[in-house]
Amino acid sequence: LNKFILKIRMEKAHEMLESGKYRVNEIPENIGMKDMDHFRDNYKKHFGKTPADTIKNIWDIYIEERS
């Protein structure tokens, strides 16, 4: 059950990052995590990259599409 809940939280965090409406430091509390380090570690385990890397990748794709 805990793994399922964590998976749902990480998927929601990813959606929030992709939306561009939230800063990284706002997301943990919005998905029920109080500790940023815990959030970042779990996000990296789930997606293989940090939340900051995800945002950078989104921006890189956006810039590439505009070129």
Side-chain angles (χ1 to χ4, degrees):
L1 182 62
N2 287 339
K3 286 182 181 182
F4 175 74
I5 292 169
L6 182 60
K7 180 180 186 281
I8 298 299
R9 287 178 172 169
M10 292 299 101
E11 295 294 332
K12 180 64 178 175
H14 190 71
E15 288 175 19
M16 293 172 77
L17 286 170
E18 284 189 322
S19 77
K21 296 178 184 177
Y22 301 89
R23 286 181 261 159
V24 174
N25 65 344
E26 296 174 311
I27 293 175
E29 188 173 331
N30 280 288
I31 63 166
M33 293 184 154
K34 302 219 184 272
D35 184 276
M36 183 65 180
D37 291 333
H38 182 66
F39 164 64
R40 187 175 40 247
D41 291 345
N42 278 288
Y43 190 93
K44 188 170 183 177
K45 285 178 190 174
H46 190 79
F47 292 105
K49 56 188 169 187
T50 65
D53 290 337
T54 297
I55 292 171
K56 183 183 180 314
N57 290 344
I58 291 167
W59 275 107
D60 289 347
I61 290 167
Y62 176 78
I63 291 168
E64 188 175 301
E65 288 175 352
R66 298 284 181 186
S67 299

